[in-house]
Amino acid sequence: MTRSLVSLLLFLLLSLSGTAPAFALSPTAPGDSISDYYELETIPLPPGLSAETGGVAFMPDGRLIACFHRGEVMTYNPQTKAWKLFAEGLHDPLGLLPVSNSEVLVMQRPELTRLRDTNADGQADHYETVTDGFGMSGNYHEFAFGPLKDKEGNLFISLNLASNGAGIREEVRGQLNELGRPGRMYSTVPYRGWVMKLTPDGKLHPYAMGFRSPNSLGFDKQGNLFVPDNQGDWLGTSKLYHVQEGKFYGHPSSLVWKPGFNIDPLTLPVSELAQMRTKAAVLFPQNIMANSPTQPLCDITEGKFGPFAGQMLIGEMNFPKIIRLMLEEVDGEIQGACVPFYQNAGLRKGNNRMVFAPDGSLWVGQTDHGWAGDKGIQRITWKGQTPMEILTMNLTPSGFDLTFTQPVDAATASDPKTYDFRRYYYEYHREYGSKQFDVQPIEVMKAQVSPDGKRVSLTLKEMKPGYIYEMTVNGVQATNKNPLINNFVCYTLNKLKK
Amino acid sequence: MIYLNPLLSFFLLLSIGLSPGALSFLAESPIEAPSLAPPAESQTKDTTIYIKAVGGLQYDMVRFKVAPGTNVTLVLENTDDMAHNLLITQPKARLEVVQAALTLGAKGPEMNYVPASPKVLWSIKVLNPGQKQTLTFTAPAQEGVYPYVCTYPGHGFIMYGAMHVTRKPLPPLADDPNIPPDRANDQAEAAAHQGHDSPAASPHPYELKLPAMYRTFMPDCSPAAIAVGLPGGLSYCWDAGTCRLRYAWKGGFVDNAAHWKGNGNALSNVVGEIYYRDQAGFPLRLGDPANVPTPKFKGYRLLDRYPQFEYSIDGVEIKELIKPLEGGTGLVREFQVEQVKEPLYFVVNRNDGVSYQASQGKWTEEILRIPAGKARNFTITMTETKGEATLTEMKGEAKR
């Protein structure tokens, strides 16, 4: 409560002094605002709730179910606006998945738990351990995320590394492995830094490794699994990985739980680790796009939420921002771009969890959890008009094709000077974060508008893999004079288009 | 409610356009740019200040006092797992500097988020976790409150403190508007938690009813701990990692304030006096008292809010329900065991702090043997015992 009061005070101060909150650093064009197209509503919360939101989901009957830092699981009826307690006493629950109107799976620190109301009094009375087949050193940073269910009924969860900001407990759960202990973030008990797969037979399988702080999981429209990770040691900037079985994604500590791996992973040369790792599908430049990306969520609303059906959104902790992803497959691998979707305009920070309601509105659960952020739940509803946005950004052999949600005004869109590109990369190394290396402006040679005005083909002077291509669009508008709302995009170019 | 005062005054000051720091200067002339040279008459000593960046976007020290003109050595150590810097700004300039740092955008990292501004007096660059750096400067001659702040993006609104340059005594921490309101509040909370007699406000959006339980980090337990508070101020710690009762206390339940705050590193605190502490390890054995099983935790059911734990040993399902002892200090543990073909053993340690009474079986020293046919339901009653503990059967004689 105190933290949110402080935020309110800061907000008042900023409004009074006439300075716009400068949280979001990406430039936006004047004119239309995202709030002209989407309505933002703050959900009333029950008095006394510290709304550090760890999970939000909808039950089959249309009630929202949410879990909070102090262990409460509560339901909210959007019609009656009534909150009701469903379960309590959980240990920092950070994700949930309803099974029915009386049953929900919750991921808490020590285990994945099935909560069931067996006597129909509206509250869970059976707390069944679904899996606790992973270690706990007692280090605070060992958060646990998920579950995410695939079509075959498998459940995916993800497990944080421990932090050398604190030690481990005298008694731990699981086998202690000192080989995983060195380093800033470490994996000294089983499967820290892994994504795990629980098959319907109840067995928990190590699935993929190399994660640092994989704060929740999501599928794209095709069912590909995506997991974010946070800037820090071995992560020059924050990322989103396309996660596939058996692959290693870059943070070395978790390697100690790979069968047959019997050395301190930090003794391997960086070049060897770099060869082992699978690169991220999307990089979020630090302080520019995101500092702490959270849950990836596919827009499954088939148009109820606006023009972005089938694309993924991802939340962000440090800035009042939700990001949209424009992914594609290039040479057999997924890569693509990120662009702000909703920023400022009343949205709070700490956008940790998201879910689409049956009516197609987006519900956003917020937390600060000891870091930058806010508390509470907000709801974003599409008003029905199409904002002028870049709908897709696709790599071509010579540059990028941009597709817009509305036909562009050819006069501005065909001028190559309208598009500012620069490119850079972040170093893969043991240090915390990375500066941008080899920052170069890249000249746009040509901008060709398609006959229907919806696509602009850009020819760039140089296309080089291994770089982020950062684009700022200045002055493109629709034929109906609507300005482009989000004009700042970062494309992660891992592979060239042949 | 104690903390509303500083917050309220903070708010009022903001709404009339003054920074919190203005309080100290209301009776003084407007602040001028501080002269860096010590005043000739000052009798200052060199001083060293140690500040740590800690978890939860905080400096461990939220304020310090130096006399005008003091030669200050400031040592910043980053013990957090995120990067932090430290800037000392002119009075009232904290938010302006924080905003200026945010607008650096992509240039921020190379500039260490230190904006080029005359409002920034001194700075320590961004320190990665584990790094330490020293800054030396001469405190301004002009008395005043000089904020220090981390301008790493997202941090500056809550991660700051105050250097009081003054010869006067400082106000109590809770009344100091120059520190993060959260931190003044901590003091109030700490004070509120000292007395157990006054009913504490529920930390939840509902009244906290006993029995109640929290899965949390408890001392002297595996990290998968469960704290259970029973009516009558009898509480216990049950370990879901090893499937056993670890210890029990009387006089209160737990204080989770420290554990819930920030990143969750702190343990929950036992409120009350521990009278029982298990020293025998997992108590149940099947067939052979030397055969220590590896139990598997399965969860629990709430029966009138009392948790009934479910676990298995060697494939045999066990249920354990723990109730408070009536008319004394102790616990009654009701066991339900799936049909077994071998005798069941229950192993205790006489020095645990309680006497044991069993409803079934016979004790031999510290081992209770329950025949297979009688193991379906049995209770173990534990009563606080100072001095020599007894091991008894329900209708039998005490055995020493």
Side-chain angles (χ1 to χ4, degrees):
Chain A
M1 184 176 76
T2 314
R3 190 61 62 76
S4 54
L5 264 176
V6 174
S7 311
L8 176 67
L9 293 174
L10 289 169
F11 175 73
L12 285 171
L13 170 71
L14 295 170
S15 330
L16 285 164
S17 63
T19 325
F23 298 113
L25 302 168
S26 37
T28 48
D32 278 17
S33 152
I34 193 69
S35 57
D36 294 331
Y37 299 91
Y38 288 88
E39 190 177 327
L40 184 111
E41 179 190 346
T42 296
I43 302 303
L45 296 168
L49 177 69
S50 178
E52 293 155 89
T53 313
V56 287
F58 278 88
M59 304 178 89
D61 62 12
R63 282 177 299 156
L64 176 82
I65 187 159
C67 56
F68 302 99
H69 180 57
R70 293 181 179 178
E72 307 96 341
V73 179
M74 301 190 74
T75 60
Y76 176 74
N77 184 325
Q79 263 76 52
T80 63
K81 302 196 185 311
W83 281 97
K84 204 165 175 297
L85 184 70
F86 183 71
E88 58 186 309
L90 304 182
H91 198 178
D92 202 3
L94 287 171
L96 44 71
L97 176 70
V99 176
S100 71
N101 291 326
S102 60
E103 182 175 331
V104 59
L105 293 164
V106 179
M107 193 71 222
Q108 49 174 332
R109 263 186 193 280
E111 63 179 50
L112 178 67
T113 310
R114 186 186 305 278
L115 307 176
R116 285 195 304 143
D117 171 16
T118 64
N119 58 6
D121 68 350
Q123 289 200 11
D125 46 71
H126 192 202
Y127 293 57
E128 181 200 352
T129 304
V130 178
T131 184
D132 59 0
F134 54 89
M136 294 176 86
S137 75
N139 183 283
Y140 74 87
H141 201 268
E142 290 176 348
F143 303 112
F145 308 101
L148 181 74
K149 191 174 189 173
D150 71 7
K151 288 190 189 103
E152 288 78 43
N154 301 301
L155 294 171
F156 292 89
I157 63 172
S158 55
L159 302 170
N160 256 29
L161 296 176
S163 161
N164 75 348
I168 64 169
R169 298 281 298 279
E170 203 168 301
E171 257 182 75
V172 304
R173 186 178 78 186
Q175 177 206 342
L176 194 64
N177 186 343
E178 289 294 340
L179 289 175
R181 185 71 196 274
R184 182 154 291 143
M185 308 300 272
Y186 55 90
S187 180
T188 198
V189 289
Y191 308 122
R192 288 289 154 191
W194 284 70
V195 166
M196 308 291 286
K197 178 182 177 181
L198 183 77
T199 43
D201 60 5
K203 289 204 175 90
L204 188 66
H205 308 271
Y207 187 74
M209 72 214 94
F211 304 94
R212 179 182 182 275
S213 191
N215 181 3
S216 115
L217 319 91
F219 290 124
D220 70 2
K221 198 182 166 196
Q222 289 75 34
N224 294 303
L225 177 63
F226 286 88
V227 173
D229 210 342
N230 202 107
Q231 189 238 22
D233 55 331
W234 298 100
L235 284 110
T237 198
S238 295
K239 299 174 179 189
L240 182 72
Y241 298 116
H242 170 215
V243 175
Q244 293 171 294
E245 187 162 12
K247 288 192 174 174
F248 163 68
Y249 289 90
H251 196 292
S253 297
S254 54
L255 286 167
V256 291
W257 305 109
K258 189 181 177 180
F261 197 97
N262 297 319
I263 56 164
D264 168 4
L266 298 180
T267 58
L268 286 177
V270 176
S271 56
E272 195 170 324
L273 290 164
Q275 283 204 333
M276 290 165 64
R277 78 171 173 146
T278 298
K279 284 186 166 184
V282 180
L283 271 61
F284 305 95
Q286 178 84 354
N287 299 322
I288 302 171
M289 189 59 74
N291 285 18
S292 206
T294 60
Q295 180 190 355
L297 180 72
C298 185
D299 179 352
I300 47 155
T301 65
E302 297 178 331
K304 286 187 200 163
F305 192 65
F308 310 116
Q311 293 189 338
M312 276 197 291
L313 301 174
I314 188 164
E316 153 65 14
M317 288 294 291
N318 288 39
F319 302 117
K321 192 190 265 188
I322 294 168
I323 293 159
R324 181 165 57 89
L325 304 174
M326 301 180 285
L327 304 183
E328 59 178 337
E329 196 171 308
V330 177
D331 196 12
E333 285 179 26
I334 297 174
Q335 65 183 36
C338 49
V339 58
F341 159 63
Y342 195 113
Q343 55 181 336
N344 299 321
L347 181 69
R348 292 186 289 224
K349 296 189 268 58
N351 299 300
N352 191 35
R353 293 292 178 266
M354 305 190 291
V355 64
F356 282 104
D359 69 0
S361 61
L362 180 71
W363 292 61
V364 185
Q366 291 142 345
T367 189
D368 44 15
H369 213 275
W371 285 286
D374 281 312
K375 297 183 177 75
I377 296 174
Q378 292 184 309
R379 177 189 181 213
I380 301 174
T381 312
W382 185 44
K383 293 180 180 177
Q385 300 294 313
T386 301
M388 178 58 174
E389 295 278 18
I390 297 167
L391 182 62
T392 60
M393 181 173 185
N394 295 105
L395 189 66
T396 65
S398 57
F400 295 99
D401 275 359
L402 307 178
T403 312
F404 292 81
T405 55
Q406 297 174 21
V408 294
D409 168 44
T412 49
S414 60
D415 180 0
K417 291 192 177 61
T418 299
Y419 311 90
D420 274 348
F421 271 89
R422 50 180 211 132
R423 69 153 194 236
Y424 46 84
Y425 70 90
Y426 292 98
E427 189 74 44
Y428 174 62
H429 57 194
R430 185 172 173 170
E431 282 88 89
Y432 192 98
S434 163
K435 66 177 180 113
Q436 296 173 353
F437 285 86
D438 194 16
V439 185
Q440 303 271 355
I442 301 293
E443 193 185 333
V444 177
M445 315 289 285
K446 191 176 163 196
Q448 188 173 356
V449 180
S450 68
D452 69 357
K454 283 209 164 182
R455 193 180 70 239
V456 178
S457 298
L458 303 176
T459 306
L460 271 64
K461 195 166 182 184
E462 194 188 15
M463 300 298 281
K464 201 170 172 185
Y467 284 79
I468 293 168
Y469 276 70
E470 182 193 286
M471 175 182 74
T472 308
V473 184
N474 297 303
V476 161
Q477 56 181 26
T479 48
N480 63 11
K481 305 296 177 200
N482 281 347
L484 183 65
I485 294 179
N486 286 293
N487 64 338
F488 181 79
V489 189
C490 297
Y491 187 100
T492 299
L493 206 173
N494 291 329
K495 294 211 159 191
L496 288 173
K497 185 102 171 177
K498 286 169 190 163
Chain B
M1 291 295 113
I2 309 167
Y3 58 84
L4 271 183
N5 255 340
L7 263 187
L8 196 60
S9 43
F10 185 66
F11 171 73
L12 290 173
L13 284 167
L14 291 184
S15 52
I16 55 169
L18 292 174
S19 88
L23 244 197
S24 339
F25 307 114
L26 286 176
E28 295 176 26
S29 56
I31 300 300
E32 308 201 346
S35 150
L36 302 188
E41 74 280 10
S42 72
Q43 306 260 317
T44 52
K45 282 185 181 171
D46 294 356
T47 183
T48 302
I49 307 287
Y50 296 92
I51 298 180
K52 282 181 183 164
V54 295
L57 294 182
Q58 305 176 85
Y59 295 116
D60 66 335
M61 186 188 288
V62 284
R63 66 177 189 179
F64 62 91
K65 184 174 96 164
V66 292
T70 307
N71 291 318
V72 181
T73 300
L74 194 157
V75 183
L76 177 68
E77 185 182 356
N78 184 5
T79 65
D80 190 20
D81 53 29
M82 310 171 85
H84 300 291
N85 66 7
L86 185 149
L87 282 66
I88 302 180
T89 78
Q90 292 210 5
K92 299 192 245 181
R94 176 176 64 86
L95 285 170
E96 184 186 330
V97 169
V98 168
Q99 293 288 6
L102 282 175
T103 55
L104 294 176
K107 288 192 178 139
E110 64 193 68
M111 294 180 69
N112 284 296
Y113 304 102
V114 181
S117 157
K119 299 287 173 72
V120 179
L121 296 177
W122 302 283
S123 63
I124 291 178
K125 70 178 178 87
V126 172
L127 299 186
N128 282 325
Q131 290 183 328
K132 192 192 240 185
Q133 189 158 320
T134 300
L135 168 73
T136 55
F137 60 93
T138 305
Q142 177 73 51
E143 291 208 351
V145 182
Y146 295 79
Y148 51 91
V149 60
C150 172
T151 56
Y152 199 91
H155 299 185
F157 295 103
I158 48 179
M159 183 167 181
Y160 61 92
M163 174 172 76
H164 290 260
V165 177
T166 181
R167 295 179 191 284
K168 300 183 199 108
L170 298 185
L173 197 57
D175 298 336
D176 189 339
N178 305 295
I179 66 165
D182 250 16
R183 302 292 294 273
N185 185 19
D186 291 348
Q187 304 300 314
E189 273 182 14
H193 282 291
Q194 277 168 10
H196 304 306
D197 297 339
S198 55
S202 171
H204 302 289
Y206 46 85
E207 196 188 336
L208 187 64
K209 281 180 282 186
L210 298 177
M213 59 183 292
Y214 290 116
R215 302 200 68 161
T216 182
F217 283 158
M218 293 291 288
D220 306 323
C221 184
S222 90
I226 302 177
V228 183
L230 303 179
L234 296 171
S235 300
Y236 65 86
C237 172
W238 207 86
D239 187 347
T242 59
C243 297
R244 66 192 167 106
L245 180 63
R246 297 297 296 255
Y247 52 95
W249 65 98
K250 58 182 177 180
F253 185 24
V254 282
D255 179 356
N256 290 338
H259 179 62
W260 283 334
K261 187 181 158 51
N263 57 31
N265 188 37
L267 308 184
S268 292
N269 285 314
V270 166
V271 177
E273 184 199 337
I274 295 175
Y275 63 86
Y276 160 78
R277 206 180 270 280
D278 166 67
Q279 297 172 75
F282 184 77
L284 295 168
R285 313 277 190 271
L286 205 54
D288 176 359
N291 173 24
V292 184
T294 303
K296 181 159 176 43
F297 185 62
K298 302 225 161 162
Y300 51 91
R301 270 172 210 280
L302 295 178
L303 306 176
D304 295 330
R305 296 183 61 84
Y306 285 91
Q308 181 185 49
F309 299 106
E310 301 176 337
Y311 49 95
S312 65
I313 53 167
D314 304 331
V316 173
E317 305 283 328
I318 313 279
K319 291 178 181 174
E320 179 177 358
L321 176 66
I322 304 179
K323 293 272 183 84
L325 180 69
E326 289 191 20
T329 299
L331 299 171
V332 181
R333 302 165 69 178
E334 301 172 18
F335 290 88
Q336 288 178 32
V337 181
E338 214 183 19
Q339 186 108 45
V340 287
K341 291 181 180 140
E342 300 165 288
L344 190 73
Y345 297 89
F346 191 89
V347 181
V348 302
N349 184 314
R350 228 188 263 273
N351 302 312
D352 288 346
V354 294
S355 287
Y356 291 91
Q357 188 177 46
S359 70
Q360 299 288 349
K362 275 194 178 307
W363 294 98
T364 306
E365 294 301 317
E366 293 167 315
I367 300 171
L368 177 75
R369 181 185 188 275
I370 306 173
K374 300 204 168 170
R376 263 323 256 279
N377 293 284
F378 65 96
T379 63
I380 302 286
T381 302
M382 311 192 326
T383 309
E384 182 189 14
T385 303
K386 288 175 177 151
E388 207 164 354
T390 59
L391 307 173
T392 58
E393 290 105 31
M394 209 65 115
K395 288 168 189 169
E397 300 238 331
K399 289 192 180 169
R400 291 284 158 86

